Amino acid sequence: MTFYGTEIRSRLLLGTAQYPSPQVLADAVRAAAPDIVTVSLRRESGRLREGQDFWGLIRGLGARVLPNTAGCHSVKEAVTTAQMAREVFGTPWVKLEVIGDADTLQPDVFGLVEAAKILSEDGFEVFPYTTADLVVAEKLLEAGCKVLMPWGAPIGTGMGLNDVYALRSLRAHFPDVPLVVDAGIGKPSHAAAAMELGYDAILLNTAVAKAGDPVMIARAFAQAIEAGRAGYLAGPIEPRDMAAPSTPVFGRASFA
């Protein structure tokens, strides 16, 4: 799997917010062994030197950083945050969020496409957090995105895959585009189900950070994602309406 020409070994991307402590975060990252961790930019850090210990912790984990524009509600805000993040973290990668609804945290897809185009033209490699909409996906690709990150369900809900049909359609329409389910995953079984649909990776945060044992569930998610990917590649049988005996009926003994 490659993102913008960079080879990625782990298909689990892990967020770094809301953990009970820095030590739990570090232990969860080590248990999950992701190649990529997402980090949101706190604007006050540059002025007050806050967050430096956190940034040092992230660097020490050895994973590639994917900055995000979490909490941005306008194109200008998202673009400005992305530009600041590029300076702070030294990477052209950015997970682009432009939130349109405060209750569901659903992306503003119109602003998202606009911001993606601006950032792509500015040399960014954009990972857009979007809905599982085919038309929006096409517009994001036209805007320069080479990865798409559709939601499974609203951020932090743990509801799993709300619209399997839409996710399956997205995979079928864009077979060569890396697709990452981002948001809404609550259980390892949800992650496995997404991987069985043919998705390339899963991005998690709340499901790990807020679990009773973040370290244990981080490891469980890593295992589930690996199992789901293997299941997809193995070509599982298609569901059918009628029973099909697993034991052959021809040649069985006949008792008159």
Side-chain angles (χ1 to χ4, degrees), residues 132 150-154 157-168 180-199 201-204 221:
W151 67 350
T157 61
M159 296 174 65
L161 308 181
N162 268 3
D163 193 341
V164 173
Y165 172 79
L167 291 170
R168 185 182 289 115
V180 182
V181 172
D182 174 19
I185 299 294
K187 301 176 182 179
S189 57
H190 298 158
M195 297 302 293
E196 288 172 355
L197 292 176
Y199 276 71
I202 307 292
L203 197 160
L204 303 165
F221 269 115

Side-chain angles (χ1 to χ4, degrees), residues 165-179:
Y165 172 79
L167 291 170
R168 185 182 289 115
S169 297
L170 202 62
R171 177 72 286 173
H173 277 74
F174 304 105
D176 300 321
V177 176
L179 298 179

Side-chain angles (χ1 to χ4, degrees), residues 41-48 72 76-78 80-81 84:
L41 177 68
R42 298 186 180 277
R43 298 182 184 181
E44 66 270 24
S45 296
R47 179 170 55 87
L48 301 179
C72 293
K76 182 178 180 180
E77 188 179 16
T80 301
T81 301
M84 294 170 64

Side-chain angles (χ1 to χ4, degrees), residues 204-222:
L204 303 165
N205 192 160
T206 308
V208 175
K210 292 296 187 179
D213 188 332
V215 178
M216 181 181 292
I217 204 165
R219 186 177 296 110
F221 269 115

